[in-house]
Amino acid sequence: MMDSTKIAAEDRQLTVSLPDERVNVCIGSGTYSIVIKGADTAERFAMIDMWIPPGGGPMPHSHLCEETFYVMEGEVAVFCGETRTLAPTGSAMNIPSWAPHVFHNLSDKPARLMCTVSPAGLDRQFLEIGVRVATRTSPPPSVSAEQRAELMKKIPAIVEKYDGKVLPPDAFDHLMTPEEIQFLKDAEGA
């Protein structure tokens, strides 16, 4: 039983996150809604609502924070180290600190993931990289090839700033079929 006299001496209050007050950003084809900011939790954790369209998912990467996903809708293929796992609706997974990983929506329907990272930081990284949009399901705005190329040059330094590392784009191709790789290329070009 917890001793009520040992309450943490913090100057924090209850955090309430309402959908219409959240910041939403597009990174690639996905839209990420910052549900709980690290600033609200003394940087202990952050929570992000991820909307991943068919063919979507991040670049292969690793980072200091632990990353836990709960698949609320759809499914994603998760690649972590040398393991490939299909995560359908209702699945949960934890990606350990610094584990090389990526996830892809290889289906024809959007996926929705609730992601918690600990410690926080990924929320600020997303805000720095992403383009702000109106809602958690807003499609990405049109970006010229030049703008995309400029952002791609900046991303590794931004990721490193938040204790992460971008991996080669083909880091997990050996765990996918040629058809899946083509599906992702086609989705990226759309």
Side-chain angles (χ1 to χ4, degrees):
M1 185 167 200
M2 186 173 146
D3 181 352
S4 62
T5 62
K6 294 184 180 181
I7 297 173
E10 291 189 33
D11 198 20
R12 290 176 47 210
Q13 302 294 317
L14 171 71
T15 296
V16 177
S17 173
L18 301 174
D20 60 344
E21 296 173 355
R22 295 181 188 144
V23 176
N24 307 291
V25 296
C26 281
I27 301 172
S29 62
T31 304
Y32 301 84
S33 181
I34 309 302
V35 177
I36 302 287
K37 302 181 299 284
D40 296 328
T41 68
E43 301 302 325
R44 289 185 175 97
F45 73 93
M47 186 178 286
I48 304 161
D49 185 343
M50 301 176 162
W51 186 82
I52 311 300
M59 297 182 286
H61 62 282
S62 65
H63 41 63
L64 172 69
C65 64
E66 295 270 328
E67 192 167 11
T68 302
F69 296 102
Y70 179 78
V71 182
M72 297 177 5
E73 298 172 20
E75 66 182 30
V76 292
V78 179
F79 303 85
C80 185
E82 290 299 312
T83 303
R84 174 193 171 130
T85 304
L86 183 62
T89 299
S91 299
M93 68 218 79
N94 174 257
I95 297 170
S97 177
W98 290 115
H101 65 282
V102 72
F103 62 83
H104 294 297
N105 181 350
L106 298 173
S107 78
D108 60 356
K109 294 180 174 55
R112 184 177 183 195
L113 311 175
M114 188 59 67
C115 173
T116 301
V117 293
S118 177
L122 206 57
D123 54 321
R124 291 187 313 280
Q125 175 184 308
F126 285 0
L127 292 172
E128 192 167 337
I129 292 172
V131 177
R132 291 183 187 228
V133 294
T135 70
R136 71 166 191 81
T137 58
S138 292
S142 295
V143 178
S144 72
E146 294 80 23
Q147 290 170 314
R148 180 175 163 73
E150 189 62 33
L151 177 61
M152 294 305 287
K153 284 187 218 171
K154 293 178 183 178
I155 285 178
I158 295 169
V159 170
E160 189 174 313
K161 175 179 165 182
Y162 294 100
D163 296 318
K165 181 179 179 183
V166 174
L167 303 175
D170 63 351
F172 296 96
D173 284 5
H174 66 285
L175 298 174
M176 293 192 289
T177 67
E179 294 79 17
E180 290 169 334
I181 294 167
Q182 188 61 50
F183 176 74
L184 296 175
K185 287 179 181 177
D186 291 346
E188 186 178 305

